[in-house]
Amino acid sequence: MESGGEKRRVVIVGGGIAGSLLAKSIQFIADVTLIDPKEYLEIPWANLRNMVEPSFAERSVINHRDYLTNGRIITSAAINITDTEVLTADGRLIVYDYLVIATGHRDPVPTTKTERLNQYQAENQKIQSAHSILIVGGGPTGVELAGEIAADFPEKKVTLVHKGPRLLEFIGMKAADKTLHWLRSRKVEVKLEQAVDLNSTSDGGHVYQTSAGESIKADCHFLCAGKPLASAWLNETILKTNLDKSGRLMVDEYLRVKGHSNIFAIGDITDIPELKQGYLAHKHALVVAKNLKLLMAGGKESKMSTYEPGSAIALVSLGRKDAVAQFPFTTISGCLPGLLKSRDLFVGRTRKQMGLQT
């Protein structure tokens, strides 16, 4: 833990769901610096509920300082790494003994919590004032947004357009079919195997054309496409040869970046063959917290904890009461899986894990 009376310097790049839990977990046994372009942690699976109920964001958008009471917070982006230092966009050099990369996916959001809450208010106003809404993208984000709007605003005409042959292509066919049935039972019009050109609209921007030649009338639209990985900045660093062809960092069973004994990676940026989900990112953080504690106490590398890739469990919420759940051996939908996720979206549990009031 101590090196000549000094705590070891751990620099964590990225204040998402994995980086924040790691920082919180080791803040009293290490000299922790958290580098993040925004001042807050956002519980990502609550984002869509925040759009239909902005007050929900008060609990799911958490200032880093609320949980990180004993660490340094630098509100900037990391732009380079050497063997000993991290360089930030605002020109600071931060020395490290151990480095953890947890930058996840790129999501251009505001810097402060207040700005982020205002953004949710504006998106809610957009939904409230629209009679018809177009959602582009049938992955988990598009499906959950359609479910939230259909549940809270059943009078609105919601159309979801997806270029793939089925919804939720990252999970099994059975879960996708149950989701499609639920949405259609709530009067959501779902169009598959079609794309929408959001730049070519007519009638004052309210009529959208699909690749199949159909016209969709909508007062507003939401683009729910996948977000790119936040790893492009690593291409000019000492880790450039550690990225796979998808831009993910290649890690060993201890979640160390391969070939680097003091650099770890956690969360969506890793090349671990598993669904990229929040609860698995939390598991990454806890494994690395254990390993850092061991190494900082002078423990042997052979005693380090290994990470086992997660099994294919997926929970997609459908409004406030229902959900579709895929487990390794079965798929269920309705209010039972809804009890697991949809009511509170695990926000209370996540806040408790971060040492905050639920």
Side-chain angles (χ1 to χ4, degrees):
M1 224 77 72
E2 307 288 326
S3 169
E6 294 284 317
K7 285 182 177 173
R8 305 307 296 272
R9 295 162 298 195
V10 179
V11 175
I12 300 165
V13 182
I17 210 74
S20 58
L21 180 59
L22 175 60
K24 183 253 174 196
S25 302
I26 62 169
Q27 62 181 318
F28 295 108
I29 58 161
D31 176 359
V32 174
T33 300
L34 178 68
I35 301 172
D36 193 41
K38 56 187 180 9
E39 295 175 1
Y40 53 88
L41 154 69
E42 181 151 28
I43 300 174
W45 49 86
N47 290 6
L48 305 167
R49 178 69 51 84
N50 297 340
M51 289 167 67
V52 299
E53 185 190 339
S55 60
F56 199 76
E58 293 285 353
R59 291 168 60 240
S60 68
V61 180
I62 301 161
N63 280 318
H64 290 314
R65 188 51 77 201
D66 290 352
Y67 66 85
L68 189 58
T69 55
N70 198 47
R72 190 179 302 107
I73 298 165
I74 293 177
T75 308
S76 184
I79 57 170
N80 201 0
I81 296 166
T82 70
D83 288 314
T84 55
E85 296 170 322
V86 178
L87 173 65
T88 62
D90 59 359
R92 281 187 264 200
L93 278 173
I94 298 106
V95 179
Y96 67 85
D97 297 305
Y98 295 97
L99 174 64
V100 184
I101 309 294
T103 45
H105 285 86
R106 199 160 53 80
D107 196 4
V109 293
T111 304
T112 70
K113 175 175 177 173
T114 301
E115 289 171 319
R116 188 64 169 133
L117 295 185
N118 288 342
Q119 203 171 49
Y120 282 124
Q121 287 284 359
E123 287 177 333
N124 179 257
Q125 202 50 53
K126 185 171 154 182
I127 293 168
Q128 296 257 23
S129 57
H131 294 294
S132 50
I133 298 164
L134 169 64
I135 296 170
V136 180
T141 305
V143 163
E144 291 194 344
L145 179 58
E148 293 285 347
I149 295 172
D152 276 28
F153 304 100
E155 75 286 356
K156 296 192 186 296
K157 169 87 177 104
V158 179
T159 304
L160 189 155
V161 179
H162 182 55
K163 65 183 178 188
R166 64 181 179 91
L167 300 173
L168 303 173
E169 286 160 285
F170 75 106
I171 57 177
M173 184 67 102
K174 201 171 172 188
D177 287 345
K178 286 177 183 289
T179 301
L180 181 62
H181 176 75
W182 188 94
L183 288 171
R184 285 182 169 157
S185 75
R186 300 305 189 283
K187 307 286 190 292
V188 175
E189 188 174 357
V190 179
K191 295 178 184 292
L192 298 171
E193 297 187 84
Q194 296 191 47
V196 177
D197 183 357
L198 295 171
N199 296 317
S200 65
T201 57
S202 56
D203 188 23
H206 293 308
V207 176
Y208 300 82
Q209 300 299 322
T210 76
S211 54
E214 291 187 41
S215 297
I216 299 169
K217 192 173 185 335
D219 296 325
C220 68
H221 76 266
F222 292 97
L223 178 59
C224 299
K227 297 183 176 85
L229 280 170
S231 63
W233 67 284
L234 293 168
N235 285 321
E236 306 301 320
T237 73
I238 59 163
L239 300 182
K240 63 185 173 190
T241 58
N242 299 100
L243 294 165
D244 70 8
K245 61 181 185 296
S246 302
R248 298 187 190 279
L249 278 170
M250 296 180 280
V251 294
D252 63 17
E253 67 270 34
Y254 309 116
L255 300 181
R256 285 187 303 196
V257 175
K258 286 179 179 174
H260 297 269
S261 61
N262 65 333
I263 301 179
F264 293 79
I266 54 178
D268 288 357
I269 203 164
T270 63
D271 71 333
I272 298 165
E274 62 186 5
L275 290 178
K276 302 302 176 186
Q277 302 204 88
Y279 80 99
L280 295 176
H282 270 167
K283 284 186 175 179
H284 296 186
L286 296 174
V287 167
V288 170
K290 261 191 193 173
N291 288 339
L292 286 172
K293 284 174 189 175
L294 177 84
L295 293 172
M296 290 187 292
K300 292 180 180 170
E301 283 194 20
S302 58
K303 300 277 192 216
M304 284 169 69
S305 298
T306 59
Y307 178 77
E308 297 292 329
S311 57
I313 295 172
L315 265 172
V316 177
S317 66
L318 298 168
R320 291 175 182 267
K321 293 180 180 172
D322 297 326
V324 169
Q326 175 182 284
F327 300 105
F329 304 110
T330 187
T331 298
I332 56 172
S333 64
C335 58
L336 190 60
L339 283 172
L340 287 173
K341 179 180 180 183
S342 297
R343 301 248 166 120
D344 186 54
L345 300 174
F346 302 128
V347 169
R349 196 163 97 185
T350 306
R351 287 180 62 86
K352 188 176 180 184
Q353 202 168 15
M354 297 305 292
L356 302 170
Q357 282 189 321
T358 58

